[in-house]
Amino acid sequence: MSGRLVLNGTTEVRGSFGEISGAHVSEATALWLQTMAVLTVGDTVDLQGNFRAADGYFAADQTSFWGVKVG
């Protein structure tokens, strides 16, 4: 399973790509993506994910996004 964050639907947020390839123990796997990005009013950040060997999905109601204003 891999994922990345995409700014405004087109540009990958630098440093946001993550991948995990271990066996699923409980049928629920966490993928942590962590980076910093400069955002302006109206910007959107989306999660894009991919499963290599199995079917799966990223549950919108269990996906979290945190932000902090610096400065």
Side-chain angles (χ1 to χ4, degrees):
M1 169 169 88
S2 64
R4 68 180 185 166
L5 300 176
V6 178
L7 180 62
N8 297 325
T10 58
T11 307
E12 181 177 340
V13 178
R14 186 176 179 166
S16 71
F17 179 82
E19 187 171 41
I20 186 169
S21 60
H24 301 294
V25 176
S26 66
E27 297 181 6
T29 300
L31 179 65
W32 296 88
L33 305 177
Q34 181 175 329
T35 190
M36 295 183 73
V38 177
L39 304 176
T40 59
V41 173
D43 282 345
T44 61
V45 178
D46 299 304
L47 170 66
Q48 289 183 343
N50 183 39
F51 290 84
R52 214 182 295 168
D55 292 334
Y57 65 95
F58 293 86
D61 62 340
Q62 296 177 13
T63 300
S64 301
F65 178 81
W66 292 277
V68 173
K69 181 179 178 188
V70 178

